[in-house]
Amino acid sequence: QVQLVESGGELVHAGGSLRLSCAASGRSLSTFGMGWFRQAPGKERGLVASIGWDGRSTVYVDSVKGRFAITKDNAKNTLYLQMNSLRPEDTAVYYCASNRFPYGVASRRQHDFTSWGQGTQVTVSS
């Protein structure tokens, strides 16, 4: 079972940038796809971006396309989310998760993910 720990969330002004990290332990990420999800107050948790096991496929929710980038560093066993041009509506707790099974492509389905981290708070002020 993999353990995931997110970091990098903080308060930032609109238009600013942040890079979130998700450090994994207990299992290599090299053969697993990963995802970033977020949950705003009063809303359900939803997909932000996901990446396939080999990094060749990615999926983004429409609202972050062109602003966010998901990457995976297998050598560091870490997942990243680079967030640029941040907006107040990006304010949420951000979670990372691992695919349930190895060798998967990027997925939009929350059901395909397991081993959730504890989350990191991102707050974007207007």
Side-chain angles (χ1 to χ4, degrees), residues 81-125:
L81 184 69
Q82 178 66 42
M83 305 188 296
N84 300 324
S85 302
L86 283 161
R87 304 168 181 170
E89 54 264 39
D90 295 318
T91 295
V93 178
Y94 284 70
Y95 301 90
C96 64
S98 169
N99 278 172
R100 290 183 183 276
F101 304 108
Y103 305 112
V105 298
S107 171
R108 295 183 179 276
R109 302 185 304 175
Q110 210 164 148
H111 176 74
D112 289 338
F113 294 87
T114 186
S115 303
W116 298 86
Q118 84 291 344
T120 186
Q121 176 71 48
V122 173
T123 304
V124 185
S125 64

Side-chain angles (χ1 to χ4, degrees), residues 38-46 91-93:
R38 65 187 178 186
Q39 186 169 20
K43 296 187 178 180
E44 294 185 353
R45 185 172 61 190
T91 295
V93 178

Side-chain angles (χ1 to χ4, degrees), residues 46-59:
L47 175 75
V48 177
S50 69
I51 187 167
W53 75 275
D54 58 0
R56 293 184 179 181
S57 60
T58 56
V59 166

Side-chain angles (χ1 to χ4, degrees), residues 8-26:
E10 61 181 74
L11 173 65
V12 64
H13 291 298
S17 297
L18 284 176
R19 188 177 79 158
L20 304 184
S21 299
C22 171
S25 60

